[in-house]
Amino acid sequence: QQVELARQARHAALKRGIPVLISNHDVPFTRDLYQHAEVSALKVKRSISQNGKNRTAVSELLALYNPSSN
């Protein structure tokens, strides 16, 4: 499903001429998946851990498919 999401996002940006922004975990898989996008990373804090002391900042990936830069 992630592969299809990346494909559809790129297709929509190019066909419709609109920017498409996707947010996902910053891991090697997503870096590879969004290699055709403009990629940025930032640290975010997740509220998933049961113990609040274990909640740490993790890297989030922003992938922008910008039709004006393709």
Side-chain angles (χ1 to χ4, degrees):
Q1 292 171 334
Q2 290 290 324
V3 173
E4 182 62 14
L5 174 64
R7 189 186 74 73
Q8 289 286 341
R10 186 176 186 206
H11 177 76
L14 296 174
K15 184 172 181 169
R16 297 181 182 189
I18 58 171
V20 177
L21 181 66
I22 296 178
S23 172
N24 208 323
H25 291 290
D26 187 3
V27 295
F29 172 73
T30 54
R31 287 274 175 171
D32 184 53
L33 193 59
Y34 298 112
Q35 63 183 300
H36 299 292
E38 298 171 31
V39 174
S40 302
L42 64 144
K43 292 289 185 184
V44 296
K45 194 163 188 177
R46 300 275 186 231
S47 298
I48 297 172
S49 177
Q50 179 182 10
N51 183 343
K53 294 178 184 177
N54 293 335
R55 295 179 189 154
T56 60
V58 296
S59 190
E60 184 81 357
L61 178 136
L62 297 176
L64 175 63
Y65 290 99
N66 191 348
S68 63
S69 64
N70 285 325

